[in-house]
Amino acid sequence: MKRFPGTIGVCLILALLLQGNHCLQAQLSIPKSTKPQGAPIKTSVSVTLLMENTSSALFAQEWGRIFRDLNISIQTRRSSGDDKPEIEQNVRGTFREVRLIGILDRRGEIQFPGHQFARKDVGKLKEWLNELKTYGAQGSPDSKPLWGLSADQFRTVFAELSEPAPVNVQGMSLKEAIGKLDFPSTLPVRININAEKQVSEKYQDLKVIPDLGKLAKGTVLAILLKQYGLEFYPSRTPSGLLELVVTPIGSVSRAWPIGWELKESRQKTAPRFFQLIPVELTNVPLRDVLMAASKASDIPMIVDEYAVQQKGVDLDQVKVNISKKRTTWGILIRNAIGRDGLTRKLVIDERGQPFIWITVFVPKVSSAIRK
């Protein structure tokens, strides 16, 4: 095939993907068969117990037996000054690994983030472990109250944030975008003073960049705030009312997530993302490739503009070159962004709609290396 300069190359890929290539359209169509595609998400849970002192070691053997009876891999070691309870998660393909780090105190009780168990609480422990195996580290939105909310309050918040965004906020200012999302008076958005200061000092003229029109309110709010270096979390006021609090990134230990873990396999969640397509690109800007891929696969591919800018990557200056071949959108996007230190993750919004979150790759550092 004849090679084209950048501008013509963009037109060519858009034309091939969106207009006249019947073969490609057939490849990207959703299969009519209802037969599940790919394997379901499989989850393993492992536990590390950190012993506070010598006396707590007396209970480690008994807890080891309890976890082994529950088919949970367990390790124990002495706690150091920097250790704290943690829940970590890593997803590779259709395999999800949840790692729990708990403190075993001198009374023989173990503490995980948000959970504490005595030896008589084996039933409660088993129920929690089963929830982790089903939903991953974030837990079930239907049964796990967070941020100090009751289960009913969390369901109320989650239901509102699962509503489709009423408008596409692309091109709006921060306050205009939040207003257009039309949150009810029973769940107002409150921008705290530190967030207000950050926006006025650094981002007063910044407009929302990504196209977020098809996503749920919670995901839209989380993504547009991230562009301004902000995040949000649901809170209960002293009077018992609910609100969404906007704060600078890192101000709270847990913010509302940008995307949720998949409920089904990647292939079943986003089949078009994994189907073969013919492709040949010459000097095409990465942002144009992402835009074309979003439209052709019908899966929003959304860039973490804040993190990418912090890293100093300009998506309009990064050029993609691919010799004539057949590949999948997943592989194409992975290869296109990988050399600039970016990564992509397939997640779902509060309504279960898939999207690709493209952000900066941050390598995991084990606790052994940190020491």
Side-chain angles (χ1 to χ4, degrees):
M1 179 181 289
K2 184 178 179 181
R3 303 187 70 81
F4 296 86
T7 303
I8 299 177
V10 175
C11 297
L12 176 60
I13 186 175
L14 289 173
L16 286 175
L17 297 179
L18 307 177
Q19 297 177 9
N21 192 324
H22 298 296
C23 176
L24 180 56
Q25 291 295 329
Q27 290 170 339
L28 294 180
S29 63
I30 299 176
K32 296 181 179 180
S33 171
T34 58
K35 182 179 179 180
Q37 299 183 39
I41 292 288
K42 297 180 181 179
T43 302
S44 74
V45 179
S46 62
V47 172
T48 299
L49 287 186
L50 308 176
M51 298 176 290
E52 280 189 336
N53 49 37
T54 304
S55 61
S56 60
L58 299 174
F59 304 102
Q61 186 174 359
E62 187 173 354
W63 276 113
R65 178 186 58 78
I66 291 173
F67 279 105
R68 284 191 292 271
D69 288 345
L70 295 173
N71 294 317
I72 300 296
S73 172
I74 180 172
Q75 299 180 20
T76 59
R77 63 175 175 84
R78 289 295 299 272
S79 175
S80 67
D82 295 331
D83 285 328
K84 61 181 180 179
E86 290 185 72
I87 301 179
E88 301 175 339
Q89 177 169 285
N90 185 34
V91 179
R92 299 188 304 275
T94 59
F95 180 74
R96 176 171 54 199
E97 181 183 11
V98 178
R99 297 181 295 273
L100 307 177
I101 300 177
I103 301 294
L104 176 59
D105 65 24
R106 66 188 65 189
R107 297 172 300 173
E109 296 183 355
I110 52 177
Q111 300 175 16
F112 297 108
H115 297 270
Q116 182 170 337
F117 302 97
R119 285 162 291 164
K120 62 182 177 61
D121 298 328
V122 175
K124 289 167 52 179
L125 175 62
K126 182 178 180 181
E127 183 179 12
W128 183 52
L129 293 172
N130 287 337
E131 180 178 305
L132 292 172
K133 290 180 180 180
T134 302
Y135 296 99
Q138 289 178 326
S140 168
D142 293 327
S143 63
K144 183 180 180 181
L146 298 172
W147 298 286
L149 307 182
S150 69
D152 285 342
Q153 288 171 329
F154 184 81
R155 279 192 289 267
T156 298
V157 171
F158 196 86
E160 175 60 31
L161 296 182
S162 299
E163 290 292 317
V167 296
N168 189 345
V169 298
Q170 187 178 32
M172 298 182 184
S173 67
L174 175 62
K175 289 192 175 181
E176 182 185 9
I178 292 175
K180 290 294 185 179
L181 290 178
D182 196 26
F183 287 101
S185 59
T186 54
L187 190 64
V189 177
R190 178 171 65 85
I191 304 177
N192 73 16
I193 188 170
N194 292 327
E196 287 270 15
K197 182 180 179 182
Q198 180 165 300
V199 173
S200 64
E201 291 180 352
K202 297 181 179 180
Y203 305 107
Q204 192 168 16
D205 299 324
L206 183 63
K207 307 296 184 182
V208 178
I209 296 174
D211 182 346
L212 306 173
K214 295 184 178 181
L215 298 174
K217 282 185 178 182
T219 293
V220 169
L221 182 60
I223 292 174
L224 73 87
L225 288 175
K226 181 67 185 294
Q227 184 182 320
Y228 294 83
L230 306 174
E231 57 192 5
F232 82 95
Y233 63 96
S235 178
R236 183 182 64 220
T237 68
S239 62
L241 300 177
L242 298 174
E243 63 180 4
L244 303 177
V245 181
V246 177
T247 187
I249 289 175
S251 301
V252 293
S253 59
R254 184 188 293 266
W256 195 264
I258 295 178
W260 300 77
E261 296 296 338
L262 306 184
K263 297 179 180 178
E264 300 178 299
S265 71
R266 298 186 304 161
Q267 289 82 0
K268 189 172 183 181
T269 301
R272 296 186 183 187
F273 195 60
F274 300 98
Q275 290 178 331
L276 288 171
I277 56 168
V279 64
E280 182 179 24
L281 302 177
T282 304
N283 216 30
V284 181
L286 177 54
R287 193 177 292 277
D288 290 336
V289 173
L290 296 176
M291 179 187 68
S294 294
K295 292 182 178 180
S297 64
D298 200 29
I299 303 171
M301 299 190 188
I302 302 170
V303 175
D304 184 348
E305 302 287 349
Y306 175 81
V308 169
Q309 184 181 28
Q310 293 288 311
K311 188 173 176 61
V313 177
D314 186 342
L315 300 185
D316 294 311
Q317 296 302 316
V318 175
K319 298 300 191 294
V320 180
N321 292 280
I322 300 175
S323 57
K324 185 177 181 181
K325 65 192 301 185
R326 289 172 63 83
T327 187
T328 67
W329 284 121
I331 295 174
L332 188 155
I333 298 303
R334 182 195 66 192
N335 294 341
I337 67 177
R339 65 178 183 175
D340 291 286
L342 307 182
T343 186
R344 86 281 190 266
K345 184 178 182 182
L346 174 62
V347 289
I348 56 176
D349 69 0
E350 292 77 10
R351 301 175 65 203
Q353 300 175 119
F355 67 97
I356 305 297
W357 180 238
I358 297 171
T359 188
V360 172
F361 174 73
V362 179
K364 281 187 172 293
V365 180
S366 69
S367 57
I369 295 176
R370 285 196 298 266
K371 292 179 183 179

PDB file of all heavy atoms in Angstrom, residues 306-334:
ATOM      1  N   TYR A 306      -4.260  15.022  33.189  1.00  0.00           N
ATOM      2  CA  TYR A 306      -3.448  15.563  34.285  1.00  0.00           C
ATOM      3  C   TYR A 306      -2.126  14.813  34.408  1.00  0.00           C
ATOM      4  O   TYR A 306      -1.052  15.414  34.413  1.00  0.00           O
ATOM      5  CB  TYR A 306      -4.250  15.472  35.583  1.00  0.00           C
ATOM      6  CG  TYR A 306      -3.491  15.897  36.823  1.00  0.00           C
ATOM      7  CD1 TYR A 306      -3.361  17.245  37.150  1.00  0.00           C
ATOM      8  CD2 TYR A 306      -2.910  14.950  37.668  1.00  0.00           C
ATOM      9  CE1 TYR A 306      -2.668  17.642  38.287  1.00  0.00           C
ATOM     10  CE2 TYR A 306      -2.226  15.335  38.812  1.00  0.00           C
ATOM     11  CZ  TYR A 306      -2.107  16.678  39.119  1.00  0.00           C
ATOM     12  OH  TYR A 306      -1.424  17.066  40.245  1.00  0.00           O
ATOM     13  N   ALA A 307      -2.203  13.463  34.490  1.00  0.00           N
ATOM     14  CA  ALA A 307      -0.985  12.666  34.665  1.00  0.00           C
ATOM     15  C   ALA A 307      -0.082  12.747  33.437  1.00  0.00           C
ATOM     16  O   ALA A 307       1.143  12.824  33.551  1.00  0.00           O
ATOM     17  CB  ALA A 307      -1.349  11.219  34.968  1.00  0.00           C
ATOM     18  N   VAL A 308      -0.690  12.729  32.237  1.00  0.00           N
ATOM     19  CA  VAL A 308       0.084  12.786  31.000  1.00  0.00           C
ATOM     20  C   VAL A 308       0.818  14.119  30.889  1.00  0.00           C
ATOM     21  O   VAL A 308       1.983  14.187  30.489  1.00  0.00           O
ATOM     22  CB  VAL A 308      -0.831  12.544  29.787  1.00  0.00           C
ATOM     23  CG1 VAL A 308      -0.100  12.859  28.484  1.00  0.00           C
ATOM     24  CG2 VAL A 308      -1.321  11.100  29.773  1.00  0.00           C
ATOM     25  N   GLN A 309       0.138  15.202  31.261  1.00  0.00           N
ATOM     26  CA  GLN A 309       0.783  16.513  31.218  1.00  0.00           C
ATOM     27  C   GLN A 309       1.914  16.600  32.239  1.00  0.00           C
ATOM     28  O   GLN A 309       2.973  17.164  31.965  1.00  0.00           O
ATOM     29  CB  GLN A 309      -0.237  17.618  31.477  1.00  0.00           C
ATOM     30  CG  GLN A 309       0.346  19.020  31.363  1.00  0.00           C
ATOM     31  CD  GLN A 309      -0.673  20.101  31.647  1.00  0.00           C
ATOM     32  OE1 GLN A 309      -1.629  19.885  32.387  1.00  0.00           O
ATOM     33  NE2 GLN A 309      -0.486  21.262  31.060  1.00  0.00           N
ATOM     34  N   GLN A 310       1.673  16.028  33.433  1.00  0.00           N
ATOM     35  CA  GLN A 310       2.719  16.033  34.454  1.00  0.00           C
ATOM     36  C   GLN A 310       3.970  15.303  33.971  1.00  0.00           C
ATOM     37  O   GLN A 310       5.092  15.671  34.317  1.00  0.00           O
ATOM     38  CB  GLN A 310       2.193  15.368  35.736  1.00  0.00           C
ATOM     39  CG  GLN A 310       1.084  16.123  36.450  1.00  0.00           C
ATOM     40  CD  GLN A 310       1.570  17.389  37.130  1.00  0.00           C
ATOM     41  OE1 GLN A 310       2.558  17.360  37.852  1.00  0.00           O
ATOM     42  NE2 GLN A 310       0.878  18.503  36.900  1.00  0.00           N
ATOM     43  N   LYS A 311       3.766  14.278  33.156  1.00  0.00           N
ATOM     44  CA  LYS A 311       4.891  13.508  32.624  1.00  0.00           C
ATOM     45  C   LYS A 311       5.556  14.219  31.448  1.00  0.00           C
ATOM     46  O   LYS A 311       6.667  13.868  31.045  1.00  0.00           O
ATOM     47  CB  LYS A 311       4.416  12.115  32.191  1.00  0.00           C
ATOM     48  CG  LYS A 311       5.543  11.172  31.794  1.00  0.00           C
ATOM     49  CD  LYS A 311       5.058   9.768  31.543  1.00  0.00           C
ATOM     50  CE  LYS A 311       6.197   8.870  31.059  1.00  0.00           C
ATOM     51  NZ  LYS A 311       7.287   8.774  32.055  1.00  0.00           N
ATOM     52  N   GLY A 312       4.887  15.216  30.885  1.00  0.00           N
ATOM     53  CA  GLY A 312       5.462  15.965  29.780  1.00  0.00           C
ATOM     54  C   GLY A 312       5.251  15.339  28.420  1.00  0.00           C
ATOM     55  O   GLY A 312       6.020  15.589  27.487  1.00  0.00           O
ATOM     56  N   VAL A 313       4.192  14.533  28.266  1.00  0.00           N
ATOM     57  CA  VAL A 313       3.895  13.887  26.989  1.00  0.00           C
ATOM     58  C   VAL A 313       2.832  14.698  26.254  1.00  0.00           C
ATOM     59  O   VAL A 313       1.789  15.026  26.820  1.00  0.00           O
ATOM     60  CB  VAL A 313       3.395  12.439  27.204  1.00  0.00           C
ATOM     61  CG1 VAL A 313       3.014  11.805  25.867  1.00  0.00           C
ATOM     62  CG2 VAL A 313       4.466  11.617  27.911  1.00  0.00           C
ATOM     63  N   ASP A 314       3.079  15.027  24.994  1.00  0.00           N
ATOM     64  CA  ASP A 314       2.139  15.750  24.145  1.00  0.00           C
ATOM     65  C   ASP A 314       1.577  14.765  23.122  1.00  0.00           C
ATOM     66  O   ASP A 314       2.274  14.341  22.199  1.00  0.00           O
ATOM     67  CB  ASP A 314       2.838  16.916  23.440  1.00  0.00           C
ATOM     68  CG  ASP A 314       1.876  17.799  22.652  1.00  0.00           C
ATOM     69  OD1 ASP A 314       0.748  17.332  22.357  1.00  0.00           O
ATOM     70  OD2 ASP A 314       2.249  18.942  22.326  1.00  0.00           O
ATOM     71  N   LEU A 315       0.314  14.390  23.287  1.00  0.00           N
ATOM     72  CA  LEU A 315      -0.286  13.371  22.429  1.00  0.00           C
ATOM     73  C   LEU A 315      -0.409  13.825  20.980  1.00  0.00           C
ATOM     74  O   LEU A 315      -0.521  12.990  20.080  1.00  0.00           O
ATOM     75  CB  LEU A 315      -1.668  12.977  22.960  1.00  0.00           C
ATOM     76  CG  LEU A 315      -1.710  12.393  24.378  1.00  0.00           C
ATOM     77  CD1 LEU A 315      -3.119  11.935  24.711  1.00  0.00           C
ATOM     78  CD2 LEU A 315      -0.735  11.252  24.526  1.00  0.00           C
ATOM     79  N   ASP A 316      -0.400  15.122  20.747  1.00  0.00           N
ATOM     80  CA  ASP A 316      -0.471  15.617  19.372  1.00  0.00           C
ATOM     81  C   ASP A 316       0.893  15.546  18.688  1.00  0.00           C
ATOM     82  O   ASP A 316       0.976  15.553  17.457  1.00  0.00           O
ATOM     83  CB  ASP A 316      -0.981  17.058  19.354  1.00  0.00           C
ATOM     84  CG  ASP A 316      -2.425  17.162  19.824  1.00  0.00           C
ATOM     85  OD1 ASP A 316      -3.257  16.383  19.324  1.00  0.00           O
ATOM     86  OD2 ASP A 316      -2.711  17.990  20.701  1.00  0.00           O
ATOM     87  N   GLN A 317       1.960  15.474  19.470  1.00  0.00           N
ATOM     88  CA  GLN A 317       3.304  15.403  18.906  1.00  0.00           C
ATOM     89  C   GLN A 317       3.822  13.969  18.788  1.00  0.00           C
ATOM     90  O   GLN A 317       4.727  13.699  18.006  1.00  0.00           O
ATOM     91  CB  GLN A 317       4.275  16.220  19.765  1.00  0.00           C
ATOM     92  CG  GLN A 317       3.973  17.712  19.795  1.00  0.00           C
ATOM     93  CD  GLN A 317       3.988  18.319  18.404  1.00  0.00           C
ATOM     94  OE1 GLN A 317       4.876  18.035  17.602  1.00  0.00           O
ATOM     95  NE2 GLN A 317       3.002  19.163  18.117  1.00  0.00           N
ATOM     96  N   VAL A 318       3.224  13.053  19.560  1.00  0.00           N
ATOM     97  CA  VAL A 318       3.616  11.644  19.467  1.00  0.00           C
ATOM     98  C   VAL A 318       3.024  11.067  18.191  1.00  0.00           C
ATOM     99  O   VAL A 318       1.808  11.072  17.991  1.00  0.00           O
ATOM    100  CB  VAL A 318       3.119  10.846  20.686  1.00  0.00           C
ATOM    101  CG1 VAL A 318       3.435   9.363  20.522  1.00  0.00           C
ATOM    102  CG2 VAL A 318       3.757  11.389  21.958  1.00  0.00           C
ATOM    103  N   LYS A 319       3.865  10.559  17.298  1.00  0.00           N
ATOM    104  CA  LYS A 319       3.404  10.028  16.011  1.00  0.00           C
ATOM    105  C   LYS A 319       3.423   8.496  16.046  1.00  0.00           C
ATOM    106  O   LYS A 319       4.329   7.877  16.598  1.00  0.00           O
ATOM    107  CB  LYS A 319       4.301  10.531  14.880  1.00  0.00           C
ATOM    108  CG  LYS A 319       4.283  12.054  14.726  1.00  0.00           C
ATOM    109  CD  LYS A 319       2.880  12.576  14.413  1.00  0.00           C
ATOM    110  CE  LYS A 319       2.889  14.046  13.992  1.00  0.00           C
ATOM    111  NZ  LYS A 319       3.298  14.953  15.077  1.00  0.00           N
ATOM    112  N   VAL A 320       2.395   7.914  15.442  1.00  0.00           N
ATOM    113  CA  VAL A 320       2.252   6.460  15.414  1.00  0.00           C
ATOM    114  C   VAL A 320       2.539   5.962  14.006  1.00  0.00           C
ATOM    115  O   VAL A 320       1.941   6.447  13.031  1.00  0.00           O
ATOM    116  CB  VAL A 320       0.838   6.027  15.847  1.00  0.00           C
ATOM    117  CG1 VAL A 320       0.702   4.505  15.818  1.00  0.00           C
ATOM    118  CG2 VAL A 320       0.519   6.566  17.235  1.00  0.00           C
ATOM    119  N   ASN A 321       3.434   4.987  13.889  1.00  0.00           N
ATOM    120  CA  ASN A 321       3.769   4.368  12.604  1.00  0.00           C
ATOM    121  C   ASN A 321       3.625   2.862  12.730  1.00  0.00           C
ATOM    122  O   ASN A 321       4.262   2.243  13.584  1.00  0.00           O
ATOM    123  CB  ASN A 321       5.202   4.727  12.191  1.00  0.00           C
ATOM    124  CG  ASN A 321       5.344   6.205  11.865  1.00  0.00           C
ATOM    125  OD1 ASN A 321       4.993   6.641  10.781  1.00  0.00           O
ATOM    126  ND2 ASN A 321       5.866   6.969  12.817  1.00  0.00           N
ATOM    127  N   ILE A 322       2.773   2.286  11.897  1.00  0.00           N
ATOM    128  CA  ILE A 322       2.551   0.844  11.919  1.00  0.00           C
ATOM    129  C   ILE A 322       2.543   0.342  10.481  1.00  0.00           C
ATOM    130  O   ILE A 322       1.768   0.824   9.653  1.00  0.00           O
ATOM    131  CB  ILE A 322       1.223   0.481  12.605  1.00  0.00           C
ATOM    132  CG1 ILE A 322       1.209   0.987  14.063  1.00  0.00           C
ATOM    133  CG2 ILE A 322       0.986  -1.033  12.579  1.00  0.00           C
ATOM    134  CD1 ILE A 322      -0.104   0.767  14.775  1.00  0.00           C
ATOM    135  N   SER A 323       3.397  -0.609  10.190  1.00  0.00           N
ATOM    136  CA  SER A 323       3.403  -1.197   8.855  1.00  0.00           C
ATOM    137  C   SER A 323       2.150  -2.030   8.657  1.00  0.00           C
ATOM    138  O   SER A 323       1.486  -2.442   9.612  1.00  0.00           O
ATOM    139  CB  SER A 323       4.655  -2.063   8.670  1.00  0.00           C
ATOM    140  OG  SER A 323       4.704  -3.075   9.673  1.00  0.00           O
ATOM    141  N   LYS A 324       1.827  -2.284   7.401  1.00  0.00           N
ATOM    142  CA  LYS A 324       0.578  -2.968   7.068  1.00  0.00           C
ATOM    143  C   LYS A 324       0.502  -4.326   7.764  1.00  0.00           C
ATOM    144  O   LYS A 324       1.395  -5.170   7.625  1.00  0.00           O
ATOM    145  CB  LYS A 324       0.487  -3.162   5.547  1.00  0.00           C
ATOM    146  CG  LYS A 324      -0.846  -3.752   5.091  1.00  0.00           C
ATOM    147  CD  LYS A 324      -0.898  -3.841   3.575  1.00  0.00           C
ATOM    148  CE  LYS A 324      -2.237  -4.401   3.110  1.00  0.00           C
ATOM    149  NZ  LYS A 324      -2.285  -4.511   1.627  1.00  0.00           N
ATOM    150  N   LYS A 325      -0.578  -4.526   8.528  1.00  0.00           N
ATOM    151  CA  LYS A 325      -0.731  -5.768   9.289  1.00  0.00           C
ATOM    152  C   LYS A 325      -2.164  -5.886   9.785  1.00  0.00           C
ATOM    153  O   LYS A 325      -2.963  -4.969   9.641  1.00  0.00           O
ATOM    154  CB  LYS A 325       0.236  -5.772  10.482  1.00  0.00           C
ATOM    155  CG  LYS A 325      -0.089  -4.672  11.501  1.00  0.00           C
ATOM    156  CD  LYS A 325       0.999  -4.449  12.530  1.00  0.00           C
ATOM    157  CE  LYS A 325       1.322  -5.640  13.340  1.00  0.00           C
ATOM    158  NZ  LYS A 325       2.316  -5.322  14.419  1.00  0.00           N
ATOM    159  N   ARG A 326      -2.453  -7.018  10.399  1.00  0.00           N
ATOM    160  CA  ARG A 326      -3.735  -7.219  11.083  1.00  0.00           C
ATOM    161  C   ARG A 326      -3.437  -7.338  12.578  1.00  0.00           C
ATOM    162  O   ARG A 326      -2.555  -8.091  12.986  1.00  0.00           O
ATOM    163  CB  ARG A 326      -4.447  -8.489  10.579  1.00  0.00           C
ATOM    164  CG  ARG A 326      -4.981  -8.335   9.166  1.00  0.00           C
ATOM    165  CD  ARG A 326      -5.505  -9.661   8.646  1.00  0.00           C
ATOM    166  NE  ARG A 326      -6.634 -10.147   9.417  1.00  0.00           N
ATOM    167  CZ  ARG A 326      -7.897  -9.760   9.236  1.00  0.00           C
ATOM    168  NH1 ARG A 326      -8.167  -8.867   8.299  1.00  0.00           N
ATOM    169  NH2 ARG A 326      -8.868 -10.261   9.964  1.00  0.00           N
ATOM    170  N   THR A 327      -4.168  -6.584  13.364  1.00  0.00           N
ATOM    171  CA  THR A 327      -3.959  -6.616  14.799  1.00  0.00           C
ATOM    172  C   THR A 327      -5.268  -6.254  15.487  1.00  0.00           C
ATOM    173  O   THR A 327      -6.286  -6.037  14.834  1.00  0.00           O
ATOM    174  CB  THR A 327      -2.830  -5.636  15.206  1.00  0.00           C
ATOM    175  OG1 THR A 327      -2.541  -5.812  16.594  1.00  0.00           O
ATOM    176  CG2 THR A 327      -3.223  -4.189  14.944  1.00  0.00           C
ATOM    177  N   THR A 328      -5.266  -6.181  16.815  1.00  0.00           N
ATOM    178  CA  THR A 328      -6.458  -5.772  17.565  1.00  0.00           C
ATOM    179  C   THR A 328      -6.264  -4.351  18.071  1.00  0.00           C
ATOM    180  O   THR A 328      -5.129  -3.853  18.168  1.00  0.00           O
ATOM    181  CB  THR A 328      -6.705  -6.701  18.766  1.00  0.00           C
ATOM    182  OG1 THR A 328      -5.636  -6.518  19.722  1.00  0.00           O
ATOM    183  CG2 THR A 328      -6.759  -8.155  18.324  1.00  0.00           C
ATOM    184  N   TRP A 329      -7.383  -3.706  18.420  1.00  0.00           N
ATOM    185  CA  TRP A 329      -7.270  -2.370  18.995  1.00  0.00           C
ATOM    186  C   TRP A 329      -6.462  -2.415  20.283  1.00  0.00           C
ATOM    187  O   TRP A 329      -5.681  -1.508  20.581  1.00  0.00           O
ATOM    188  CB  TRP A 329      -8.661  -1.799  19.273  1.00  0.00           C
ATOM    189  CG  TRP A 329      -9.383  -1.330  18.059  1.00  0.00           C
ATOM    190  CD1 TRP A 329     -10.590  -1.759  17.584  1.00  0.00           C
ATOM    191  CD2 TRP A 329      -8.961  -0.309  17.138  1.00  0.00           C
ATOM    192  NE1 TRP A 329     -10.936  -1.089  16.433  1.00  0.00           N
ATOM    193  CE2 TRP A 329      -9.959  -0.187  16.145  1.00  0.00           C
ATOM    194  CE3 TRP A 329      -7.838   0.508  17.059  1.00  0.00           C
ATOM    195  CZ2 TRP A 329      -9.856   0.714  15.092  1.00  0.00           C
ATOM    196  CZ3 TRP A 329      -7.732   1.407  16.012  1.00  0.00           C
ATOM    197  CH2 TRP A 329      -8.735   1.503  15.042  1.00  0.00           C
ATOM    198  N   GLY A 330      -6.662  -3.475  21.073  1.00  0.00           N
ATOM    199  CA  GLY A 330      -5.944  -3.587  22.331  1.00  0.00           C
ATOM    200  C   GLY A 330      -4.445  -3.566  22.142  1.00  0.00           C
ATOM    201  O   GLY A 330      -3.721  -2.834  22.826  1.00  0.00           O
ATOM    202  N   ILE A 331      -3.942  -4.355  21.206  1.00  0.00           N
ATOM    203  CA  ILE A 331      -2.499  -4.417  20.952  1.00  0.00           C
ATOM    204  C   ILE A 331      -2.022  -3.128  20.303  1.00  0.00           C
ATOM    205  O   ILE A 331      -0.947  -2.604  20.637  1.00  0.00           O
ATOM    206  CB  ILE A 331      -2.174  -5.631  20.069  1.00  0.00           C
ATOM    207  CG1 ILE A 331      -2.496  -6.937  20.821  1.00  0.00           C
ATOM    208  CG2 ILE A 331      -0.715  -5.618  19.632  1.00  0.00           C
ATOM    209  CD1 ILE A 331      -2.344  -8.180  19.985  1.00  0.00           C
ATOM    210  N   LEU A 332      -2.802  -2.602  19.357  1.00  0.00           N
ATOM    211  CA  LEU A 332      -2.407  -1.369  18.673  1.00  0.00           C
ATOM    212  C   LEU A 332      -2.225  -0.224  19.670  1.00  0.00           C
ATOM    213  O   LEU A 332      -1.204   0.474  19.657  1.00  0.00           O
ATOM    214  CB  LEU A 332      -3.464  -1.004  17.632  1.00  0.00           C
ATOM    215  CG  LEU A 332      -3.154   0.154  16.679  1.00  0.00           C
ATOM    216  CD1 LEU A 332      -3.961  -0.006  15.383  1.00  0.00           C
ATOM    217  CD2 LEU A 332      -3.497   1.514  17.291  1.00  0.00           C
ATOM    218  N   ILE A 333      -3.214  -0.044  20.562  1.00  0.00           N
ATOM    219  CA  ILE A 333      -3.138   1.051  21.528  1.00  0.00           C
ATOM    220  C   ILE A 333      -2.011   0.813  22.530  1.00  0.00           C
ATOM    221  O   ILE A 333      -1.269   1.729  22.884  1.00  0.00           O
ATOM    222  CB  ILE A 333      -4.485   1.218  22.258  1.00  0.00           C
ATOM    223  CG1 ILE A 333      -5.592   1.572  21.245  1.00  0.00           C
ATOM    224  CG2 ILE A 333      -4.377   2.289  23.330  1.00  0.00           C
ATOM    225  CD1 ILE A 333      -5.329   2.812  20.439  1.00  0.00           C
ATOM    226  N   ARG A 334      -1.855  -0.425  22.979  1.00  0.00           N
ATOM    227  CA  ARG A 334      -0.781  -0.728  23.930  1.00  0.00           C
ATOM    228  C   ARG A 334       0.583  -0.372  23.352  1.00  0.00           C
ATOM    229  O   ARG A 334       1.412   0.264  24.011  1.00  0.00           O
ATOM    230  CB  ARG A 334      -0.817  -2.212  24.298  1.00  0.00           C
ATOM    231  CG  ARG A 334       0.242  -2.628  25.324  1.00  0.00           C
ATOM    232  CD  ARG A 334       0.387  -4.123  25.369  1.00  0.00           C
ATOM    233  NE  ARG A 334       0.926  -4.650  24.109  1.00  0.00           N
ATOM    234  CZ  ARG A 334       0.938  -5.941  23.792  1.00  0.00           C
ATOM    235  NH1 ARG A 334       0.413  -6.829  24.614  1.00  0.00           N
ATOM    236  NH2 ARG A 334       1.441  -6.345  22.633  1.00  0.00           N
TER     237      ARG A 334
END
